[in-house]
Structure formats: structure tokens, C-alpha cells
């Protein structure tokens, strides 16, 4: 598919001539940012009241056997993947040398006065804000008022938040509210979002266990690039060999993408893109550190052989507005657990639509995100990780059942559960 084909598919004046300042912040946002579609439950009063908000640890209701993955499995902290700290020899060999220790649960449970409970997923470090701040603002409120409650959490955490941990916490609670609404209305979230246009979504597999993914049936692969600028010419050659192997196993009809995880410089990105042009890479993702908007804009303007994608580590509509202003990427990849939750993801998508930019969420298959992916006609693909290789067959059978995996012309397809809310089958640890 041609890169541009993909994109195409998818002041008042007051008294005496002085400027008027009678507009409100809400009015300013409503004109500055395109609005998402109206919510079908927006005007309803549910009779529900939030009684508690807690950070919790959740486990599957149906436990699966534990196993040791095949040696060399890519998605461990012991395998080298290019990263922002790869420039420092002390941290370069493996991510476990700098990854944080336990920052608390990523999951949130919101309880109501009528016994309806919602689960939501957030990002690293969310637990502190969830436990120590957000209940003060939300307990006693109607969980159906998702947009107003999001705004309260956002404004209430601005003095220390705006990005990172605070928005991870907002994301978790917001997602849990959507779970409550779906359960209360006995409706899956994808239908609350107006879904119904798509029966299933084509998927791509992220990871460097290429043979496992191809054998499973994937025709779209995203590779985690292992080497960055610190590895010089040798690293460039090894990166090329990885891409070459993926192209050979996929054949000419498959799609190859690259996850560069904030590890490159502008010059390295341009050099690698030129070197890989014969392999028809579909997109290069998150090549630069996420605050380097100008650099991303320069790279996107310079490289014509592949699309540029980013947004995994971007936050809220205001961050994505900067990506737009700098023309930093052709594809946006917000993470529903990190960017502000489902409520904010709808605003990000509305902005993307106004710019003719597809939204392909990071982690699109996990933690409820697939409901947005299915419902949203501006989201053509879903990201997916396979369970690590080397496990018992039961693990892969359960994965196929839970993700409702089917196969077709584009390889692997999925759809989220049709159970109410996000349809989680989870319990407290």
C-alpha cells in the first residue's frame, strides 16, 4: 500500500475597539479543538454515585500456566533494544539496568453505591495519585459524567501534572468509569462509541520473534530495533539484517514497521531510512525523544521512503496539537492507558481526523483499548503482542479465544469481547 494512499483512506471586538475578554476557557477549547461525537449517555442521570477509588492488582479469572519463554525472546528486559539510554555504556546492554522497580499497581477499581464496579488500566506510577488525590475530587459524583469528571481530574492535577504519572492516573480512573457505564447499560464499550461499522480489525504483531509471528499467520510485523547511534556502522548493518530477514519471511506483500523507541538522532534516522529503502519499510516509529517536536518535523519533511509514526509517550490533546503544529508524524499512536484515558483519546482522534491523520493506538489489543480500535473508522489496524514462544498450547488457545482471532487476506484479525463494559474477566489478586 502506498504511504499517501493510506493517509487519504483513512475575534470579537469590544467597547472602544478594545479586544473582548468575555469568552470562557470552555468556549476557547470548543473552537480550537474539533469535538468528538456526542456520547449516547451524556444527558442521562444514572443514579449511581462513586463511593471509592482504589489502586488494585488484577489477575485473570482463568489462570494460565506459567512457563519460561524460549531463550532469546525479544520482550524481556534482558535483551538489548535501542532506547534513550543506549548512549551510556552502563545502561546499554539491557533495559533492566534502568527500568523502575515496582511503582505500584497499574489497575484501578472504582466502586459505586449500587454495586457496579469498574476496572481501568493506567500507566507506571499511577497508584500514588489514584490513592492520595483523585478520590478527593470524584467520590460522590455520577460516573456517567465522564467528560466533566475528566476535566475535574485534569484541572485538579495541573499544578504537578500535565504529563506522566498524573495523566497515567487520570487514564486509569477514566477508563474505569467507561467500564461502569457499559456495565450499567449492559452494553460493550465499542457500542457506546457508536461501533458497528467493522466486524473485525486487521492486526500487526510487534516483536522480533519473526518466525513465530509468521507461523501464527501475521502479514504485518513491527520490529523492535536493537541498535542505535552508539553502535555505529556495525549496528546499522545488524538493523538492516533484521529487517531483511523479516522481509524475506513475510514476502513482498507483507508490511514491515520499525519501533525505534526514542533512541535515534535526526541524522541516524535519515541514514537508517535510506539504507532500508529497498525493503519497503511501512513506517518508522518514535525515532526521536518525544519532546523533540522540531526534530520530528525535520525528519518527517526529509524522509519520503516511509511514514513517520509517534505518540506512544505523548499526553492529551495539547501534546498531540504540538505534533500537528510541527508536522511531526503521519500516524499518531496514543496509548489509552497513558494519554488521558478513553475520554481524552476521543478528543485526540477528533483532532487527528481534522488533519487527515490515522490513529493507531499503542497497545491496541490490551486493557480495553480494542473497543476504541473496533469502533473507530479512523483506526485501520490494531497492534498486538503474541504470548511468548515456548509455552503450552493452552496459552495460545486462550489468547485466540479472548482476542476472537480470525484469519483472512490481511493475515490476523481480532475484535474485542461483546460483554458489557470492557468485558474484562479479571478479579482482585
Amino acid at each position: 500500500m502506498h504511504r499517501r494512499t493510506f493517509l487519504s483512506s483513512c475575534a470579537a471586538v469590544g467597547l472602544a475597539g478594545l479586544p473582548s475578554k468575555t469568552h470562557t476557557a470552555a468556549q476557547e477549547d470548543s473552537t480550537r479543538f474539533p469535538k468528538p461525537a456526542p456520547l449516547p449517555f451524556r444527558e442521562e442521570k444514572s443514579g449511581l454515585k462513586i463511593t471509592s477509588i482504589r489502586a488494585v492488582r488484577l489477575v485473570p479469572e482463568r489462570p494460565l500456566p506459567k512457563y519460561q519463554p524460549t531463550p532469546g525472546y525479544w520482550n524481556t528486559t534482558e535483551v538489548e533494544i535501542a532506547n534513550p539510554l543506549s548512549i551510556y555504556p552502563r545502561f546499554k546492554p539491557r533495559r533492566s539496568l534502568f527500568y523502575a522497580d515496582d511503582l505500584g499497581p497499574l489497575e484501578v477499581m472504582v466502586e459505586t453505591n449500587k454495586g457496579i464496579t469498574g476496572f481501568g488500566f493506567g500507566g507506571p506510577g499511577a497508584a500514588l495519585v489514584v490513592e492520595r488525590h483523585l478520590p478527593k475530587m470524584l467520590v460522590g459524583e455520577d460516573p456517567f459524567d465522564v467528560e466533566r469528571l475528566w476535566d475535574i481530574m485534569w484541572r485538579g492535577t495541573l499544578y504537578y501534572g500535565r504529563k506522566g504519572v498524573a495523566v497515567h492516573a487520570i487514564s486509569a480512573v477514566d477508563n474505569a468509569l467507561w467500564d461502569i457505564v457499559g456495565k450499567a447499560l449492559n452494553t460493550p464499550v465499542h457500542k457506546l462509541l457508536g461501533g458497528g461499522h467493522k466486524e473485525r480489525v486487521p492486526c500487526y504483531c510487534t516483536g522480533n520473534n519473526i518466525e513465530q509471528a509468521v507461523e501464527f499467520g501475521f502479514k504485518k510485523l513491527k520490529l523492535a530495533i536493537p541498535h542505535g547511534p552508539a553502535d555505529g556502522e556495525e549496528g546499522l548493518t545488524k538493523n538492516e539484517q533484521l529487517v531483511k530477514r523479516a522481509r524475506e519471511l513475510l514476502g513482498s506483500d507483507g508490511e514491515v514497521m520499525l519501533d525505534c523507541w526514542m533512541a535515534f538522532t535526526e541524522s541516524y534516522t535519515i541514514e537508517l531510512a535510506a539504507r532500508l529503502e529497498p525493503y519497503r519499510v511501512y513506517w518508522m516509529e518514535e525515532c526521536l525523544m518525544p519532546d523533540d517536536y522540531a526534530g520530528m518535523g525535520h525528519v518527517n519533511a526529509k524522509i519520503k521512503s516511509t511514514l513517520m509514526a509517534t505518540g506512544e509517550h505523548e499526553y492529551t490533546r495539547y501534546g498531540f496539537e504540538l505534533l500537528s503544529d510541527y508536522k511531526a508524524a503521519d500516524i499518531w499512536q496514543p496509548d489509552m492507558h497513558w494519554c488521558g484515558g478513553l475520554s481524552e483519546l476521543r478528543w485526540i482522534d477528533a483532532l487527528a481526523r481534522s488533519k487527515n491523520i490515522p490513529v493507531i493506538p499503542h497497545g491496541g489489543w490490551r486493557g480495553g483499548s480494542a473497543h476504541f480500535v473496533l469502533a473507530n473508522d479512523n483506526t485501520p489496524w490494531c497492534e498486538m503482542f503474541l504470548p511468548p514462544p515456548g509455552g503450552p498450547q493452552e496459552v495460545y488457545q486462550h489468547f485466540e479465544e479472548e482476542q476472537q482471532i480470525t484469519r483472512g487476506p490481511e493475515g490476523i484479525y481480532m475484535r474485542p469481547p461483546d460483554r458489557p463494559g470492557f468485558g474484562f474477566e479479571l478479579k482482585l489478586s
Side-chain angles (χ1 to χ4, degrees), residues 15 19 26 74 94 110 131 135 141 147 204 265 282 293 349 378:
L15 184 64
W74 79 277
R94 56 190 183 275
V110 177
E131 294 279 358
E141 296 283 351
E147 291 185 331
Y204 69 88
T265 61
Y282 199 72
Y293 301 105
D349 178 65
N378 191 38

Side-chain angles (χ1 to χ4, degrees), residues 120-355:
F121 287 78
L128 177 67
V129 179
V130 167
E131 294 279 358
R132 303 295 293 273
H133 190 188
L134 300 186
K136 182 176 185 178
M137 295 185 282
L138 266 58
V139 167
E141 296 283 351
D142 185 337
F144 271 48
D145 205 357
V146 290
E147 291 185 331
R148 175 175 167 271
L149 298 185
W150 190 94
D151 197 50
I152 287 172
M153 291 188 287
W154 169 248
R155 292 171 182 270
T157 56
L158 279 176
Y159 67 98
Y160 65 88
R162 299 178 54 245
K163 295 188 177 187
V165 169
V167 182
H168 291 172
I170 292 172
S171 302
V173 173
D174 179 74
N175 291 333
L177 298 181
W178 280 87
D179 194 35
I180 289 172
V181 172
K183 289 174 178 175
L185 297 178
N186 196 33
T187 303
V189 168
H190 63 81
K191 289 190 176 177
L192 293 178
L193 295 170
H197 308 294
K198 295 185 282 191
E199 287 298 318
R200 58 183 186 169
V201 183
C203 300
Y204 69 88
C205 183
T206 294
N208 294 352
N209 293 93
I210 302 170
E211 290 82 0
Q212 180 199 20
V214 172
E215 182 179 348
F216 189 81
F218 281 100
K219 294 184 179 181
K220 301 175 177 63
L221 300 181
K222 186 170 76 180
L223 307 174
I225 294 300
H227 303 288
D231 296 297
E233 181 64 27
E234 182 182 359
L236 280 168
T237 298
K238 289 180 178 180
N239 288 339
E240 181 181 0
Q241 290 170 346
L242 178 66
V243 173
K244 180 181 179 182
R245 182 160 64 93
R247 172 54 68 205
E248 289 172 348
L249 288 170
L250 277 174
S252 60
D253 293 336
E255 300 292 357
V256 178
M257 291 78 72
L258 309 182
D259 187 346
C260 308
W261 216 63
M262 308 173 284
F264 295 171
T265 61
E266 289 183 42
S267 60
Y268 188 90
T269 303
I270 293 166
E271 184 177 4
L272 182 62
R275 188 156 178 161
L276 299 179
E277 187 167 355
Y279 306 102
R280 198 174 58 78
V281 170
Y282 199 72
W283 78 58
M284 294 176 66
E285 172 181 324
E286 212 175 22
C287 296
L288 306 184
M289 289 189 290
D291 290 304
D292 189 1
Y293 301 105
M296 287 186 277
H298 297 157
V299 165
N300 196 28
K302 180 76 172 179
I303 294 174
K304 303 301 180 184
S305 60
T306 185
L307 295 164
M308 289 289 119
T310 198
E312 170 184 342
H313 294 103
E314 191 53 85
Y315 297 89
T316 74
R317 73 198 79 166
Y318 304 103
F320 282 87
E321 183 183 40
L322 287 170
L323 291 180
S324 172
D325 289 346
Y326 281 91
K327 296 180 172 57
D330 303 297
I331 298 167
W332 289 355
Q333 300 171 306
D335 188 308
M336 195 175 91
H337 302 171
W338 305 344
C339 73
L342 179 53
S343 294
E344 188 63 6
L345 180 54
R346 296 175 72 246
W347 280 89
I348 293 166
D349 178 65
L351 178 62
R353 288 168 181 267
S354 74
K355 309 294 182 181

Side-chain angles (χ1 to χ4, degrees), residues 65-73 76 388-392 396:
K66 297 183 183 298
Y67 64 95
Q68 187 67 33
T70 301
Y73 171 57
T76 73
Y396 310 102

Side-chain angles (χ1 to χ4, degrees), residues 92-133:
K92 184 178 181 297
R94 56 190 183 275
R95 289 171 289 176
S96 61
L97 294 170
F98 68 87
Y99 266 19
D101 295 328
D102 187 0
L103 295 176
L106 304 179
E107 306 97 322
V108 162
M109 181 171 71
V110 177
E111 297 176 290
T112 68
N113 59 329
K114 295 189 177 180
I116 299 175
T117 297
F119 294 138
F121 287 78
L128 177 67
V129 179
V130 167
E131 294 279 358
R132 303 295 293 273
H133 190 188

